[in-house]
Amino acid sequence: MAADRSPILLRGLREAVDRVLVRARLIRDLLLPGGRTVSYGPHRSQRGELHLPPGSGPHPLVVLIHGGSWQKRHSKLVMRALARDLRRRGWAVWNIEYRRIGAGGGWPETFIDVGAAVDHVRALRAPLDQDRVSVLGHSAGGHLALWAAGRAALPPHAPGAPASGSSPTGFARAIALAGVCDLASAHREWRGGAVERLLRGSPIQVPERYALADPLAQVPLAMPVLLVHGVHDQTVSVRLSRNYARAAGAAGGDVELIELEGEAGSHRAHIDPRSGGWATVVEWRGRGACEPGEPRARTVECPGHTRLPG
């Protein structure tokens, strides 16, 4: 009888060890930079971490933009685990920092920095494939990712707009995880909150800023867009992604919204490379973007944590 239980006990032990090792790797990824720090401006927040995979390249690149309500207490550190996971999968990563509220940021500095960080891609001394650059952001970083993907259409005077006569970085794809995709609606839902602090006013007080800063005002984008959002996200409502998907689809954009049920859709699960939410991003990248036309929306039931291959 004891012999019959041995394989089960051994399997359980191996699984427990695997969980410990995966968690240890996640902690290491968060604490160790693992990338080369590069400045794109004189301010201490105007820098990013460049992660390069092995090989001579040229490597496809993902620009990562962290969230945290655009506040100074959150930094690019929270995206390091995703950066390392992408690197292990063969992607170069430019994990950017920017001036945030309470650290010299807000309107217009945050937008100036993100625009400058994105265009600094062309100045990075690395073997990068400039035709395969994607942008990915989480939460408030999801807002900035979508905004950055559409900034080429901004008027020349707008904060963060490409410099006249310059060749701005173009994106092949844009991804927002639990993104603040609709600033005006977020302002209503949060009774001002972080959005009002970011833009230093309401849509009634500073409508011109919302017209320049709200991703909803930029649809459709010229590249495929993926939105991933938890159905029961208590931090950023899925309604914001639904609003964006409807508007982008109606305007002829190529957009897919994936809604996650359960723990996989919790707000912070998106920045855990073990999560089901991250698995949907990897799968989307692997199968290619949607075909142009109506936006696809689907609800996915994922386990709270999924160990990814590789």
Side-chain angles (χ1 to χ4, degrees):
M1 206 62 175
D4 292 339
R5 288 199 300 269
S6 294
I8 298 174
L9 293 173
L10 288 172
R11 185 167 61 249
L13 180 60
R14 284 195 297 268
E15 291 174 353
V17 170
D18 284 346
R19 285 194 296 270
V20 170
L21 292 175
V22 169
R23 183 170 180 81
R25 188 174 77 172
L26 180 64
I27 294 171
R28 182 202 65 187
D29 288 351
L30 288 172
L31 296 180
L32 298 179
R36 174 162 54 94
T37 298
V38 179
S39 295
Y40 63 86
H43 193 277
R44 64 181 182 179
S45 291
Q46 293 174 323
R47 61 185 62 188
E49 293 173 352
L50 179 63
H51 300 252
L52 294 175
S56 59
H59 308 294
L61 176 72
V62 179
V63 178
L64 288 185
I65 308 180
H66 74 83
S69 301
W70 308 279
Q71 302 281 334
K72 71 173 182 178
R73 66 179 179 270
H74 301 283
S75 75
K76 64 184 183 300
L77 181 149
V78 302
M79 302 296 273
R80 280 181 180 167
L82 296 189
R84 284 176 173 266
D85 186 75
L86 286 165
R87 179 185 178 278
R88 283 189 283 263
R89 295 174 185 277
W91 290 81
V93 178
W94 177 225
N95 182 21
I96 68 168
E97 191 56 273
Y98 51 90
R99 283 175 286 179
R100 289 139 289 150
I101 300 167
W107 180 270
E109 292 82 7
T110 293
F111 298 88
I112 292 171
D113 284 4
V114 172
V118 163
D119 285 345
H120 196 74
V121 165
R122 296 194 177 277
L124 292 172
R125 299 178 63 182
L128 305 176
D129 187 341
Q130 298 286 347
D131 293 324
R132 289 195 293 164
V133 181
S134 301
V135 61
L136 183 154
H138 170 248
S139 192
H143 153 254
L144 292 171
L146 294 176
W147 172 84
R151 58 187 278 272
L154 292 172
H157 70 278
S164 179
S166 68
S167 180
T169 297
F171 293 118
R173 299 181 186 180
I175 302 168
L177 309 177
V180 187
C181 305
D182 177 355
L183 288 186
S185 293
H187 184 277
R188 287 193 298 272
E189 292 198 3
W190 299 343
R191 299 181 181 179
V195 175
E196 186 154 328
R197 289 190 291 273
L198 173 70
L199 297 183
R200 298 175 183 169
S202 70
I204 294 176
Q205 294 168 324
V206 288
E208 71 285 353
R209 295 181 184 177
Y210 283 79
L212 296 174
D214 196 336
L216 206 60
Q218 298 174 320
V219 299
L221 295 181
M223 75 287 297
V225 175
L226 174 67
L227 311 175
V228 183
H229 217 125
V231 175
H232 304 295
D233 191 323
Q234 297 298 304
T235 304
V236 177
S237 171
V238 69
R239 289 189 292 272
L240 304 184
S241 286
R242 290 171 178 170
N243 292 348
Y244 184 95
R246 280 194 296 269
D254 183 353
V255 58
E256 180 170 4
L257 168 60
I258 297 176
E259 299 184 4
L260 302 175
E261 294 280 2
E263 185 62 25
S266 65
H267 192 69
R268 294 186 182 276
H270 296 282
I271 55 175
D272 184 343
R274 304 168 298 169
S275 71
W278 184 242
T280 67
V281 175
V282 173
E283 187 260 344
W284 186 77
R285 290 212 57 85
R287 66 179 168 80
C290 313
E291 295 298 322
E294 291 297 313
R296 301 187 207 173
R298 56 192 175 103
T299 301
V300 179
E301 294 213 21
C302 298
H305 292 293
T306 301
R307 187 176 180 184
L308 303 180

